Amino acid sequence: MTTDIERLLAAAADDSDQPLTTDVDDLLVRARRSVRKTRIATVSTAVLTTGVIIAGVATWSANRSETTGPADGPRLTLDPTTGRVIKDETGAQVQAPPPVSQLSDANLRDQCKQADKEYVDFLREHGANPLDKLQPLDARWKVVAKAGTGNRVQAIFLSPDRSIVSTCTLISVGQAQSYGRVSTKADASIKSPGGVANRVPDGVREVLVNLDGETEPRQALLGENGFYSLGFDASTSGRVRQVRGYDEQGRKVFEYTRPPLPTTRPSVPDSVTVKTAEPITPNVVLTKDPLTGKALAPAPPVSPLTDEQVTTRCREVDDIYFSGSSGAQDPRIKAAGPVTKEWQVALKTGTGKKLTTVLISPDKKVYAWCHMLAPTAKGAYDYTRSAVQANGKFADNFSFGMVPDGVAQLVVDLPKQGPTRALISNGYYIWGLTGGNSDIKNVRVRGYDAQGKQVYTAKKDVDADFD
């Protein structure tokens, strides 16, 4: 695993007090890196050694935990007219599968091409999945499953060499809510069939999936090559509890049960709250780079939105975040409660409808990072939460930072804009409208005191390509 991939995985886990050996279902809930300009519902990119997961995509593994049912025993109850599964072998009622999309395979490929290109660019930039040969999505890719109605569709594609499966979830014409590619190779697979795009072994004719928070199993839409989908409207990241497969006689021949997630984590005393640097008003405002004498790029603007408008907008994606959350998260993250107007808007930047903000919970133990390119959650967004560390700080972040003690002004050496003044607010700083994080760079950050004297310098991974 390269250093860059380790950093991406740490960011995906996003809780500094969590071990990196975390179950993929938990990562899918807490991860947040994304293909640029696509909408993500609580998850984004988790980089695991040689595989990448984006927006809830996971893959079946030859190394999965499974059992095989007996040759005889209780069987599924089928509707004699429609052939649909009515009850499972325990007698539990079964929710109907999603409908097959009426859109043509060619139409789906055309609509998902742009998201695929952006995702492939992400892979190329970070070298995150060496088993992906970066073949573009074209007519050679086979549509192995498609579920949904109208233009709200989830499509699963298989590459020409059958080495890569990708999932594209469309929210409207040409607009991908999420997109991802995962290797089908056993040595790059994730040890869980959980997620929204999955595969079962040969011989399975019916698939039932049990989700956390639901008492009735769902029947999945089974496509070709063993790939199945729960459809566009099923938010499944981190929620898959059990997957069962049945043969044509209704006998259970495959079963996967999600293993328990790790619960141990470094203890953080309940009394610890976030500690920010004391604000310092500069006496000498830097307009030129002290190192070169050239003009500094201006700081990003403060968002014109009121604090209440900010919390109202971010509440929408906060609700989506919790709709997919698993129980393995740091309990402080949930204890902070939903975003309300009582949350502190510690930092906000953007123009018009665009917004990136850092919100601090009333108990000062949790931050929420909210990035929205439209007024509502129907547009592109990125979102995460994280809890305070034992030292009173939050984890180092690609999208914003905490101002070091004694620093009045910060300069971030961005690769495109050049040295740029950072926007400082309430002990936090940001260098642009960060979001998506498809261009993470390691850059120099310099801090200056009230008189313009350099008192801090450090390298930091930043999102250097703004939405």
Side-chain angles (χ1 to χ4, degrees):
M1 185 183 293
T2 68
T3 301
D4 284 343
I5 291 177
E6 286 174 344
R7 285 198 298 264
L8 284 169
L9 177 56
D14 199 53
D15 288 332
S16 61
D17 58 350
Q18 302 279 338
L20 293 187
T21 55
T22 306
D23 185 272
V24 67
D25 285 328
D26 196 30
L27 279 175
L28 286 172
V29 173
R30 292 185 291 112
R32 66 181 180 82
R33 301 296 162 213
S34 162
V35 177
R36 181 160 299 283
K37 297 184 181 68
T38 61
R39 176 173 176 255
I40 7 178
T42 78
V43 288
S44 159
T45 309
V47 183
L48 302 177
T49 313
T50 55
V52 174
I53 300 174
I54 284 196
V57 180
T59 184
W60 169 74
S61 165
N63 300 321
R64 65 199 177 281
S65 172
E66 64 177 75
T67 60
T68 301
D72 295 308
R75 303 187 185 188
L76 297 173
T77 301
L78 304 179
D79 184 319
T81 303
T82 65
R84 191 181 77 77
V85 178
I86 301 174
K87 296 180 181 180
D88 68 9
E89 73 275 16
T90 70
Q93 294 291 326
V94 175
Q95 299 181 53
V100 177
S101 171
Q102 298 305 300
L103 297 178
S104 70
D105 294 359
N107 182 292
L108 290 171
R109 280 189 289 261
D110 286 343
Q111 292 198 59
C112 293
K113 276 184 179 179
Q114 181 59 33
D116 179 75
K117 179 181 183 301
E118 292 169 356
Y119 183 75
V120 167
D121 288 344
F122 179 93
L123 290 181
R124 185 178 291 109
E125 288 173 2
H126 300 291
N129 189 357
L131 293 180
D132 191 329
K133 298 177 182 178
L134 306 181
Q135 309 161 76
L137 180 64
D138 57 26
R140 298 174 300 161
W141 285 66
K142 183 179 182 180
V143 178
V144 291
K146 52 183 180 180
T149 56
N151 290 298
R152 297 167 70 87
V153 179
Q154 182 185 83
I156 304 176
F157 305 99
L158 187 63
S159 65
D161 62 1
R162 303 168 66 89
S163 68
I164 299 296
V165 59
S166 71
T167 297
C168 177
T169 302
L170 295 167
I171 190 172
S172 62
V173 178
Q175 183 180 355
Q177 180 189 49
S178 63
Y179 191 90
R181 288 185 174 207
V182 183
S183 173
T184 60
K185 303 297 183 182
D187 57 354
S189 59
I190 308 305
K191 296 181 180 179
S192 166
V196 293
N198 307 283
R199 190 180 184 187
V200 289
D202 294 339
V204 171
R205 294 294 176 266
E206 305 288 352
V207 179
L208 299 185
V209 181
N210 290 86
L211 303 179
D212 288 340
E214 295 185 2
T215 57
E216 297 180 344
R218 292 173 180 251
Q219 183 178 359
L221 174 66
L222 183 61
E224 300 181 47
N225 300 92
F227 291 99
Y228 69 88
S229 172
L230 291 180
F232 173 87
D233 294 318
S235 175
T236 60
S237 293
R239 297 178 56 208
V240 173
R241 186 170 68 253
Q242 186 182 55
V243 179
R244 290 170 287 167
Y246 303 82
D247 66 13
E248 59 187 7
Q249 304 300 321
R251 297 173 298 193
K252 185 169 64 176
V253 294
F254 168 79
E255 180 175 344
Y256 162 85
T257 300
R258 184 183 67 202
L261 299 175
T263 57
T264 58
R265 63 189 80 240
S267 177
V268 177
D270 188 60
S271 59
V272 174
T273 57
V274 66
K275 298 176 182 177
T276 54
E278 290 293 327
I280 301 174
T281 301
N283 295 322
V284 178
V285 177
L286 297 176
T287 57
K288 295 182 179 180
D289 187 345
L291 299 182
T292 65
K294 295 182 179 179
L296 292 170
V302 176
S303 171
L305 299 175
T306 66
D307 288 1
E308 187 166 352
Q309 286 175 317
V310 169
T311 54
T312 298
R313 285 180 57 175
C314 291
R315 172 62 185 265
E316 286 190 53
V317 289
D318 184 67
D319 288 342
I320 296 173
Y321 174 87
F322 276 109
S323 72
S325 290
S326 78
Q329 289 189 346
D330 187 321
R332 295 174 297 169
I333 292 176
K334 291 188 176 181
V339 168
T340 65
K341 63 181 180 180
E342 279 70 41
W343 282 58
Q344 179 193 12
V345 179
L347 180 70
K348 57 181 179 180
T349 186
T351 57
K353 299 175 181 178
K354 296 181 178 181
L355 169 70
T356 295
T357 183
V358 177
L359 308 175
I360 306 299
S361 62
D363 63 7
K364 298 193 180 300
K365 296 178 182 179
V366 172
Y367 81 74
W369 178 81
C370 175
H371 171 74
M372 300 181 71
L373 298 183
T376 70
K378 294 181 179 180
Y381 66 79
D382 206 348
Y383 188 87
T384 192
R385 284 191 181 204
S386 187
V388 69
Q389 302 172 72
N391 64 357
K393 303 292 183 180
F394 291 122
D396 188 68
N397 197 282
F398 294 155
S399 303
F400 69 93
M402 295 184 70
V403 178
D405 291 333
V407 169
Q409 304 170 85
L410 281 160
V411 175
V412 182
D413 293 325
L414 296 175
K416 296 179 182 178
Q417 291 89 334
T420 302
R421 283 179 54 85
L423 172 65
I424 294 179
S425 173
N426 295 298
Y428 302 88
Y429 71 95
I430 199 166
W431 47 92
L433 190 71
T434 58
N437 298 290
S438 66
D439 190 22
I440 299 168
K441 302 294 185 182
N442 189 252
V443 304
R444 178 70 60 183
V445 178
R446 293 174 277 145
Y448 297 84
D449 66 12
Q451 306 305 319
K453 177 183 176 182
Q454 183 171 320
V455 293
Y456 172 85
T457 181
K459 282 295 197 79
K460 177 180 175 66
D461 290 326
V462 305
D463 173 15
D465 186 14
F466 312 136
D467 287 320

